[in-house]
Each structure stands twice: as C-alpha cells, then as structure tokens.
C-alpha cells in the first residue's frame, strides 16, 4: 500500500477502512473489479448483507487517457484525479484502489494533494510473485505503463528473470490494439471481448516462455478467462481485491 513515507496505515476488524474504488478507466474494468472483490468476500465466508464491507465506487470515466498523457500526446489526468479523490475523502474514504494500472504513474503528485493511501497494484503484484515463488515473469500492459516502468521498478529487487516487450515491437502493437483499437479494442467493446482482440492477446501469451504473465492493464483482466497458457496469468485486479479483503478484515 502506497503512502507518502512508505509506512502502512493500520486498520483492524473493529475499525475497518471505508474502501474507495476509483473506476471508470475503463468502466467495464471498474465494474469487473467490484465483482472480483465480491467474489473474494464470498470465498472467505461472507454471505449476509451486514457481513460485507462497505465501499464507495466512483466511476471516474472523464479522466484524460493516462497513456496519452505519459506519451506527451494529451493532457494530464492529475487535476481531475485530485478533484474526484477530494470528493471521496469528503465522503469518508480511508483507502483507495485505483482500477487502472497506468494511473499509478500519477500517484505521488495526487497523493501530495489528497493524502489517502492507495493499494498499489504493482507492489501487490510483486508481493504475490514472491509469495508464490515465480522465477520468470513477463508483462503485458499499455505502452504508458510499459514506458513508466511501474512493474519493472516494483519487481527490480526480486532478482527474478523479468521480461517485457519493447515499446515499438510488434508484440506491444498487438497488445495496444487489443486494448485501444476503436473497432475491436476492449476499451470500446467493454465486457464483451472481441474475437480479434482475443486472437491478438493469445498470440502474445503464446510468445512468452515464463512461469507467470502479468496482465498489467485492467482491460486485460476482462480477457483473462478466455486465454489459455501454461504460464500463470497474474491479474493485479484479483490481487488487489484480495488485498482489499485483507485490510477490511484485519489480516493486513
């Protein structure tokens, strides 16, 4: 979990945090995350209405595109994020999960203005890699996340065999099109993943020879169940959903 000084905010079962889910980047991914969080709660024996944790969902769909901003092709989402998080803070949110990997590039300046800690998708993924003992890992992500080095930096100290596509490579072009293409990209087709996007992603997955593949864009989480691989497909959204549960019930 990210904070300004690297320390962890402490929560306990008697004083659980109000989770703020910052979604809308894209909308289908944000809704999917809520379902993942629900499933984690259910799998841990949470069933009755009053037993579930409270959370606040903000569909921040008007946020300028994070990759375009990082590539210098569009406005920064920083001020927009600050305004939305101020509303979440006013509503009593204690802990944020931002349902977008690339948006974590803007965490430090945003936290400086709205000091609510975030569950860090990259750090949580690195924690999972250590816990499960993977020794070779590849990344699939937006070009913005790739160029920002978010996962590369989180994994750097793990001393594992780490791979990611070159930004200008054909492999990265296929990932980008599967996410962004206006005709078949997941950001445009939503929860119903287009067969062409799936074919491209399956080709990318087939090109990796590693223990685990990080699905480092929240749109890729929507395609995960349709992909086949001998490698484990690591979904930061699933990992973050478990972290939310752990914080809510005093396990972290």
């Amino acid at each position: 979990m990210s904070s300004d000084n690297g320390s962890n905010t402490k929560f306990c079962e008697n004083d659980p945090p109000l989770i703020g889910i910052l979604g809308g980047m894209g909308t289908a991914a944000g809704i999917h995350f809520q379902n993942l969080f629900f499933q984690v709660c259910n799998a841990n024996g949470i069933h009755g209405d009053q037993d579930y944790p409270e959370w606040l969902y903000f569909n921040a769909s008007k946020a300028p595109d994070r990759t375009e901003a990082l590539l210098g092709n569009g406005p920064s989402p920083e001020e927009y994020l600050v305004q939305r998080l101020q509303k979440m803070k006013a509503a009593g949110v204690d802990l944020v999960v931002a349902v977008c990997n690339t948006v974590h590039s803007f965490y430090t300046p945003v936290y400086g203005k709205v000091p609510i800690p975030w569950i860090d998708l990259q750090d949580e993924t690195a924690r999972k890699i250590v816990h499960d003992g993977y020794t070779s890992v590849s990344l699939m992500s937006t070009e913005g996340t790739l160029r920002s080095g978010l996962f590369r930096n989180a994994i750097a100290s793990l001393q594992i065999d780490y791979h990611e596509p070159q930004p200008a490579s054909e492999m990265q072009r296929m990932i980008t099109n599967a996410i962004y293409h206006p005709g078949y990209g997941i950001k445009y087709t939503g929860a119903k993943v287009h067969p062409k996007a799936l074919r491209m992603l399956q080709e990318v997955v087939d090109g990796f020879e590693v223990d685990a593949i990080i699905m480092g864009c929240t749109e890729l989480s929507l395609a995960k169940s349709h992909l086949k691989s001998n490698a484990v497909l690591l979904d930061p959204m699933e990992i973050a959903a478990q972290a939310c549960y752990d914080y809510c019930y005093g396990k972290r």
Side-chain angles (χ1 to χ4, degrees):
M1 178 168 60
S2 294
S3 67
D4 58 339
N5 60 8
S7 63
N8 284 338
T9 301
K10 300 296 184 184
F11 302 106
C12 67
E13 191 169 359
N14 294 327
D15 184 26
L18 175 58
I19 299 288
I21 301 173
L22 188 66
M25 300 173 282
T27 293
I31 293 169
H32 181 57
F33 179 79
Q34 290 187 88
N35 283 323
L36 290 173
F37 187 24
F38 169 80
Q39 290 165 16
V40 168
C41 291
N42 223 219
N44 283 277
I46 305 301
H47 298 292
D49 286 351
Q50 288 73 33
D51 296 328
Y52 285 95
E54 295 179 314
W55 69 79
L56 183 74
Y57 180 76
F58 199 121
N59 199 59
S61 56
K62 305 303 180 186
D65 188 87
R66 286 64 59 200
T67 290
E68 290 297 292
L70 290 170
L71 297 179
N73 298 328
S76 170
E78 180 182 332
E79 190 54 38
Y80 175 90
L81 295 169
V82 167
Q83 292 173 2
R84 273 50 186 178
L85 285 167
Q86 285 172 337
K87 292 182 178 182
M88 296 178 84
K89 183 176 178 64
V93 166
D94 300 300
L95 181 61
V96 168
V97 55
V99 187
C100 171
N101 283 276
T102 313
V103 82
H104 285 66
S105 298
F106 302 92
Y107 169 76
T108 298
V110 170
Y111 181 87
K113 297 177 181 178
V114 190
I116 310 174
W118 293 17
I119 290 177
D120 188 301
L121 269 64
Q122 289 79 41
D123 285 350
E124 292 292 340
T125 302
R127 179 188 177 102
K128 177 71 170 175
I129 289 169
V130 171
H131 180 272
D132 290 356
Y134 302 118
T135 59
S136 58
V137 177
S138 290
L139 173 68
M140 297 171 67
S141 72
T142 65
E143 188 177 347
T145 293
L146 183 62
R147 290 185 181 275
S148 71
L150 286 167
F151 282 99
R152 189 183 323 126
N153 295 335
I155 291 171
S157 65
L158 303 188
Q159 298 182 331
I160 64 169
D161 188 13
Y162 174 71
H163 305 270
E164 56 186 34
Q166 291 297 312
S169 67
E170 176 64 15
M171 179 177 281
Q172 184 57 43
R173 186 192 69 79
M174 288 193 291
I175 297 170
T176 298
N177 281 337
I179 297 168
Y180 279 105
H181 193 281
Y184 56 82
I186 300 170
K187 279 190 177 292
Y188 289 87
T189 62
K192 187 176 181 180
V193 184
H194 195 283
K196 187 169 184 178
L198 285 176
R199 285 197 297 271
M200 286 182 166
L201 294 175
Q202 187 64 61
E203 184 173 343
V204 171
V205 166
D206 290 344
F208 291 127
E209 296 182 4
V210 290
D211 294 339
I213 301 170
I214 301 170
M215 312 296 282
C217 171
T218 50
E219 272 69 41
L220 298 179
S221 180
L222 297 167
K224 180 190 171 190
S225 64
H226 302 285
L227 300 174
K228 297 179 181 180
S229 177
N230 291 326
V232 173
L233 300 180
L234 285 176
D235 182 1
M237 291 238 283
E238 293 178 3
I239 296 166
Q242 181 64 55
C244 282
Y245 174 84
D246 290 347
Y247 281 114
C248 283
Y249 291 97
K251 299 180 183 298
R252 289 276 293 275

